[in-house]
Amino acid sequence: MITPESRDPLPFFVYGTLRPGGANHDLFLRGRIRTEEPGRLPGALLYDGPGYPYAVEEPGAGAVSGELVTARPESYGSLLTELDRLEEYAPGDPRNLYERVARDVVRGDGTAVRAWVYLAAPAVAARLRARGRPIEGGDWPARR
């Protein structure tokens, strides 16, 4: 079973500043990833945040667009730690902005793969559902 505390070598699904061309892509991913391919997270909505987006699970909703990133094996542990820090995620911390969860992400060819996704933490998700601004089409770079 995969838990948020697990360090199983899953790929990462990124949908905001870690996507190619985003402010954090080169800073965190350059030279540390083996592959990068388009993917979609079904059953989720994307909300605009203060310079970065939040994905919120909504059964029956559309999908969030992003990239499925597979780390180089020798970089996986340090990358996971750094991404947790970037996303202000600590297991069990009620102050989290995001929660790291394992979800099925759909590749361009239609196959699904289990990946780590940073979703809005429950308190953040509740605020977004009440007062947030959804990003139509679920594609953060395309919102501009």
Side-chain angles (χ1 to χ4, degrees), residues 10-94:
L10 296 178
F12 299 92
F13 177 71
V14 299
Y15 54 85
T17 65
L18 288 163
R19 288 179 75 179
N24 287 315
H25 182 272
D26 287 352
L27 185 62
F28 287 89
L29 302 178
R30 182 179 295 252
R32 301 171 86 184
I33 59 174
R34 190 174 60 210
T35 62
E36 191 170 46
E37 62 182 299
R40 294 182 61 75
L41 176 66
L45 291 176
L46 198 60
Y47 287 86
D48 217 355
Y52 47 85
Y54 289 100
V56 175
E57 288 184 303
E58 291 290 343
V64 171
S65 296
E67 300 291 320
L68 192 59
V69 175
T70 302
R72 294 180 185 275
E74 65 274 13
S75 300
Y76 182 80
S78 63
L79 183 57
L80 180 63
T81 299
E82 288 179 34
L83 293 181
D84 281 354
R85 192 174 306 121
L86 172 70
E87 305 295 2
E88 298 184 36
Y89 165 73
D93 190 332

